[in-house]
Amino acid sequence: MDRIIKFSGVFLWSLVLITAGFSYTAVRYQDNEKLVDLCNEDNHSPQNMLDSELNRLLRDLNALRLSNEDANNLKWIDSCTGWVMVELKSRKFEKKLQKPQRK
């Protein structure tokens, strides 16, 4: 009986670890096609994206840049990273300019 309980425990924990591993790698960064689509300025405007979406896009672009993919095929990353960073910096600057309202 102890063997069955130990085996069941090991089996369940291994399932938990496998699920956690797949979940982490699945949400770590988006695939290239989705990133290309998000960086297409005709379809998406950085002004319409939330701060969290822009931060995730920037993180995903950096992860893709650091991957072992061919750099010649990924030249679009530089321009996309540029407009994402400009939008994030301008939002940060706008927040600094806003004065807190006092009553």
Side-chain angles (χ1 to χ4, degrees):
M1 188 67 169
D2 278 344
R3 281 184 156 173
I4 295 173
I5 292 172
K6 286 180 182 179
F7 177 74
S8 298
V10 169
F11 180 71
L12 290 175
W13 275 111
S14 62
L15 287 177
V16 167
L17 293 175
I18 289 171
T19 304
F22 279 123
S23 298
Y24 174 74
T25 56
V27 297
R28 196 175 72 187
Y29 64 89
Q30 301 170 2
D31 58 352
N32 291 2
E33 292 83 25
K34 181 143 177 131
L35 289 176
V36 170
D37 187 43
L38 286 172
C39 288
N40 187 353
E41 293 182 31
D42 296 334
N43 296 338
H44 300 282
S45 174
Q47 294 83 11
N48 296 335
M49 296 175 83
L50 299 173
D51 286 348
S52 60
E53 292 173 338
L54 286 173
N55 284 324
R56 180 179 169 96
L57 178 59
L58 186 61
R59 185 177 61 240
D60 292 345
L61 288 169
N62 286 330
L64 184 61
R65 180 185 299 177
L66 294 174
S67 70
N68 294 329
E69 304 236 2
D70 184 18
N72 293 329
N73 293 333
L74 303 176
K75 290 184 179 184
W76 56 270
I77 291 176
D78 291 334
S79 63
C80 187
T81 302
W83 64 256
V84 169
M85 290 178 70
V86 166
E87 182 62 29
L88 285 172
K89 292 289 182 182
S90 67
R91 289 181 186 187
K92 188 175 182 180
F93 183 71
E94 287 174 2
K95 288 178 184 176
K96 284 184 180 180
L97 287 178
Q98 292 176 349
K99 296 179 183 176
Q101 295 182 9
R102 298 181 185 179
K103 293 182 179 181

